[in-house]
């Protein structure tokens, strides 16, 4: 049993004496309470593929992010925070369940018709808030599957498994990614703006007779062309992964995605400003295809990828503005982070690589999205909560998103059911800047399941026979090596010189941590 859970058990036993509510025991309706200093609203702003170096407060060149910079200036900017994995689905799975994705099969990058990956029986971050009386919502990128396991969803009817089964009272989401069909939003279990004259069919194996594809009809790609893959169904002049037919007026326009999800989130905040709310605000920016609204074009010197960062910053600014207008700024805890490290060419010809200039998407780190090197999981992380967090802090504490579920549960005094969030520990003090004790180690997952152990000083990458570069086109280092790698992160943050042969005892210790975590034999 984790420290957090045992502590909570003790506290909940005492809570009647302390006059506190043991949350989880009552039904949500009985438990509705106003937001207070103890129960802030929580907004998790989760960017997609946004790198450590992609924000101006983290040293970005060629793009300005004034809204995010202000958020950081008013709270804590973390310099050693990590997504759980170097791709989307496993990072999101881990964040929302508090369980390492590598413990479960079927948690790799999901197709657009994948069945729901988190089981309705699992306790999620949204459940934590829901059972504590919060109103909960998910907006934007989902990428954790929907509907039934076989992947043969009927998109013309209500879906049988949705975020509503995982503690979200409301959702307005993209099933997977913008580069995967179906290119429609799902609102509370059904296709938003559904067009009965254009029934939707989706298939990831075969095209539908007579439907154009990027491969056969490149002349129809009037908005963006692929560099790798992405040559199947064409929606909005951009070819995607997977085949899709129909959709009609429900089909999204890529240039409006940020507007759609931001507007839906703002409407939700307005509608629920009198009760505590939890929002998972998962942007499509800055994932491919990068196709920001025309008003953001040319706002950076880096072309579409930089402009998508500007658009992301705009979304953040919109959320901050509505909180201010409703007088909710002080008691809303905002956490901003990203699902994995950055990538430049991720399969579309958008000049992201050519226009980089001096900008370093992964900041000082080696590797990108997909990698076992730090660039795969080192991400920006900013926390603002004016009521409790002093402005203007920078924290070098070692942090993993795996702990956010237990930490946020502790924040709102919520009790987690036994065996839920098994890998998540309460590190609330780190998150709020009140405790500067480092987590002794964190675990990182690369796209081919190579695991690394990071401590405040060391980085150990377990040996793996896989290729040293990604095999499908873009020039990305995987971090794979048939021998163990050990880097001194204090003197060699760019992971250039492995010291594994010089420090065999350290390699052994870190490999032992990994072996024991894998076997569930090591607790914090
Ligand atoms: C890859 C896609 C990439 C992106 C990634 C998932 C190709 C060539 N590449 O397979 O474009 O979609 O999957 O990204 O198809 S993630 O951020 O959602 O994990
Ligand atoms: Ca991602």
């Amino acid at each position: 049993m984790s420290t957090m859970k045992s502590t909570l058990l003790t506290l909940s036993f005492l809570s009647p004496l302390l006059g506190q509510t043991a949350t989880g025991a009552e039904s949500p309706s009985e438990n509705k309470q106003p937001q207070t200093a103890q129960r802030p609203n929580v907004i998790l702003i989760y960017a997609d593929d946004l790198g450590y170096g992609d924000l101006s407060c983290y040293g970005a060149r060629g793009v300005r992010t004034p809204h995010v910079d202000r958020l950081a200036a008013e709270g804590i900017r973390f310099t050693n925070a990590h997504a759980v994995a170097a791709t989307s689905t496993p990072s999101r799975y881990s964040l929302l369940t508090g369980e390492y994705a590598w413990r479960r099969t079927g948690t790799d990058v999901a197709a657009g018709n994948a069945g729901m990956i988190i089981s309705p029986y699992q306790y999620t971050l949204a459940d934590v808030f829901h059972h504590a009386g919060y109103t909960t919502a998910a907006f934007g990128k989902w990428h954790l599957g929907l509907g039934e396991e076989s992947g043969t969803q009927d998109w013309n009817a209500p879906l049988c498994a949705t975020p509503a089964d995982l503690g979200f009272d409301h959702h307005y989401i993209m099933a997977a990614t913008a580069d995967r069909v179906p290119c429609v939003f799902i609102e509370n279990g059904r296709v938003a703006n559904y067009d009965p004259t254009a029934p939707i069919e989706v298939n990831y194996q075969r095209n539908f007779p007579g439907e154009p594809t990027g491969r056969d009809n490149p002349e129809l790609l009037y908005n963006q062309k692929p560099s790798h893959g992405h040559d199947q169904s064409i929606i909005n002049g951009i070819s995607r992964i997977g085949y899709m037919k129909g959709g009609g007026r429900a089909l999204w326009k890529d240039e409006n995605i940020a507007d759609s999800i931001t507007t839906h989130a703002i409407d939700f905040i307005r509608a629920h400003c009198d009760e505590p709310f939890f929002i998972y605000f998962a942007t499509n920016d800055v994932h491919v295809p990068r196709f920001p609204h025309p008003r953001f074009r040319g706002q950076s010197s880096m072309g579409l990828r930089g402009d998508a960062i500007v658009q992301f910053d705009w979304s953040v600014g919109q959320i901050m503005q509505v909180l201010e207008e409703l007088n909710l700024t002080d008691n809303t805890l905002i956490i901003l982070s990203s699902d994995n490290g950055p990538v430049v060419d991720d399969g579309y010809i958008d000049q992201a690589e050519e226009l980089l200039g001096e900008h370093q998407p992964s900041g000082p780190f080696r590797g990108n999205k997909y990698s076992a090197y730090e660039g795969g999981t080192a991400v920006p992380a900013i926390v603002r909560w004016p009521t409790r967090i002093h402005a203007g802090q920078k924290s070098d504490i070692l942090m993993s998103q795996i702990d956010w579920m237990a930490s946020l549960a502790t924040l709102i005094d919520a009790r987690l059911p036994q065996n839920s969030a098994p890998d998540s520990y309460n590190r609330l003090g780190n998150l709020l800047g009140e405790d500067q004790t480092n987590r002794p180690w964190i675990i990182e997952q690369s796209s081919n399941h190579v695991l690394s152990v990071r401590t405040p000083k060391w980085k150990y990458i377990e040996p793996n026979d896989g290729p040293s570069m990604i095999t499908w086109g873009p020039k990305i280092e995987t971090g794979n090596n048939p021998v163990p790698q050990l880097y001194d992160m204090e003197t060699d943050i760019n992971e250039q010189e492995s010291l594994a042969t010089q420090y065999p005892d350290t390699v052994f210790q870190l490999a032992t941590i990994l072996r024991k975590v894998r076997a569930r034999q090591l607790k914090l």
Side-chain angles (χ1 to χ4, degrees):
M1 187 182 295
S2 72
T3 322
M4 197 277 318
K5 282 166 203 164
S6 44
T7 311
L8 273 178
L9 283 175
T10 325
L11 283 180
S12 61
F13 166 71
L14 289 173
S15 60
L17 299 173
L18 301 172
Q20 289 170 345
T21 316
T23 51
E26 293 99 321
S27 76
S29 55
E30 284 165 325
N31 200 23
K32 283 266 187 247
Q33 296 168 7
Q35 43 111 205
T36 63
Q38 286 72 47
R39 293 163 55 87
N41 304 307
V42 176
I43 304 180
L44 182 49
I45 300 177
Y46 209 48
D48 198 350
D49 297 359
L50 185 76
Y52 185 91
D54 278 330
L55 298 165
S56 30
C57 53
Y58 281 87
R61 313 283 288 268
V63 61
R64 306 299 312 163
T65 54
H67 300 294
V68 177
D69 297 352
R70 200 187 115 205
L71 197 71
E74 294 173 356
I76 313 178
R77 184 173 68 84
F78 291 90
T79 61
N80 202 4
H82 294 260
V84 180
T87 54
S88 159
T89 305
S91 271
R92 290 164 200 265
Y93 175 91
S94 309
L95 171 73
L96 292 179
T97 64
E99 177 184 61
Y100 292 125
W102 44 263
R103 295 204 192 279
R104 296 247 177 182
T105 54
T107 54
D108 283 321
V109 173
N113 59 354
M116 196 161 75
I117 292 171
I118 304 175
S119 149
Y121 303 116
Q122 282 175 276
Y123 206 69
T124 71
L125 180 59
D127 284 320
V128 170
F129 285 99
H130 174 80
H131 288 134
Y134 280 61
T135 303
T136 57
F139 298 99
K141 175 169 172 175
W142 181 241
H143 211 191
L144 287 165
L146 292 166
E148 54 129 356
E149 280 171 86
S150 70
T152 49
Q153 321 307 341
D154 177 359
W155 301 95
N156 305 291
L159 290 156
C160 65
T162 74
D165 302 300
L166 304 176
F168 287 104
D169 299 319
H170 181 80
H171 60 268
Y172 179 81
I173 53 173
M174 307 159 75
T177 55
D179 60 342
R180 286 174 174 76
V181 302
C183 298
V184 292
F185 283 100
I186 310 296
E187 185 164 28
N188 297 332
R190 37 176 99 210
V191 170
N193 207 20
Y194 182 71
D195 187 345
T197 68
I200 297 169
E201 289 178 76
V202 170
N203 194 308
Y204 269 72
Q205 269 76 49
R206 279 176 309 285
N207 192 15
F208 300 97
E211 294 294 310
T213 64
R215 194 182 314 122
D216 296 335
N217 309 87
E219 73 283 1
L220 299 179
L221 301 176
Y222 54 85
N223 275 332
Q224 210 165 83
K225 294 180 173 51
S227 58
H228 306 284
H230 297 117
D231 59 0
Q232 299 174 346
S233 285
I234 302 172
I235 314 290
N236 193 29
I238 301 174
S239 46
R240 321 270 168 166
I241 306 171
Y243 301 102
M244 162 174 199
K245 192 179 170 181
R249 64 160 197 253
L251 294 172
W252 68 51
K253 283 201 177 296
D254 301 74
E255 54 271 47
N256 295 334
I257 290 175
D259 278 311
S260 299
I261 63 175
T262 305
T263 307
H264 277 78
I266 287 173
D267 289 349
F268 177 88
I269 293 172
R270 286 191 198 288
H272 298 280
C273 61
D274 292 331
E275 54 193 347
F277 55 76
F278 165 69
I279 298 176
Y280 174 66
F281 183 72
T283 68
N284 168 51
D285 294 316
V286 296
H287 197 276
V288 295
R290 302 168 187 126
F291 204 70
H293 190 270
R295 69 187 189 279
F296 300 109
R297 301 289 173 95
Q299 298 286 311
S300 76
S301 63
M302 296 192 290
L304 293 169
R305 184 170 187 279
D307 297 349
I309 296 174
V310 176
Q311 181 169 266
F312 170 75
D313 185 63
W314 169 84
S315 294
V316 174
Q318 291 297 112
I319 301 283
M320 290 165 73
Q321 193 179 316
V322 72
L323 294 177
E324 243 147 77
E325 194 191 306
L326 298 169
N327 213 9
L328 295 176
T329 300
D330 281 354
N331 209 29
T332 299
L333 171 67
I334 297 183
I335 305 181
L336 181 149
S337 198
S338 179
D339 69 337
N340 50 251
V343 56
V344 198
D345 176 355
D346 205 17
Y348 287 95
I349 301 172
D350 60 8
Q351 290 209 293
E353 197 142 357
E354 295 84 334
L355 296 174
L356 268 185
E358 311 249 284
H359 183 82
Q360 294 185 307
S362 340
F365 299 110
R366 182 170 180 178
N368 290 92
K369 175 178 178 177
Y370 310 112
S371 291
Y373 291 127
E374 289 292 274
T377 57
V379 286
I382 294 167
V383 178
R384 184 189 78 169
W385 179 20
T387 294
R388 185 144 160 203
I389 295 178
H390 300 295
Q393 298 182 62
K394 174 172 93 81
S395 171
D396 300 334
I397 211 92
L398 179 63
M399 174 182 281
S400 167
Q401 293 171 2
I402 194 73
D403 291 332
W404 290 359
M405 182 165 165
S407 304
L408 292 172
T410 304
L411 170 76
I412 59 167
D413 197 20
R415 177 171 166 174
L416 293 171
Q418 255 180 48
N419 303 325
S420 61
D423 297 306
S424 187
Y425 289 89
N426 168 28
R427 309 288 304 177
L428 182 64
N430 288 165
L431 204 60
L432 301 182
E434 294 168 358
D435 174 5
Q436 306 305 328
T437 323
N438 266 307
R439 197 189 207 274
W441 46 264
I442 63 165
I443 309 292
E444 306 168 4
Q445 175 187 345
S446 77
S447 65
N448 68 335
H449 291 217
V450 168
L451 300 186
S452 300
V453 181
R454 178 80 159 83
T455 71
K457 180 174 172 63
W458 297 106
K459 165 79 176 280
Y460 162 76
I461 307 178
E462 66 175 343
N464 181 268
D465 287 334
S468 60
M469 301 298 284
I470 294 292
T471 50
W472 63 84
K475 290 192 187 55
I476 296 174
E477 293 185 301
T478 57
N480 294 331
N481 200 309
V483 297
Q485 297 172 78
L486 179 73
Y487 298 99
D488 182 339
M489 300 306 291
E490 284 169 1
T491 58
D492 180 21
I493 201 170
N494 197 240
E495 292 166 280
Q496 289 296 314
E497 193 196 346
S498 174
L499 303 176
T501 48
Q502 280 101 308
Y503 294 97
D505 292 353
T506 307
V507 169
F508 180 75
Q509 281 165 10
L510 297 175
T512 304
I513 291 177
L514 188 53
R515 184 172 54 76
K516 290 196 166 175
V517 173
R518 267 205 175 99
R520 304 175 204 267
Q521 286 168 351
L522 185 65
K523 306 284 182 195
L524 270 196

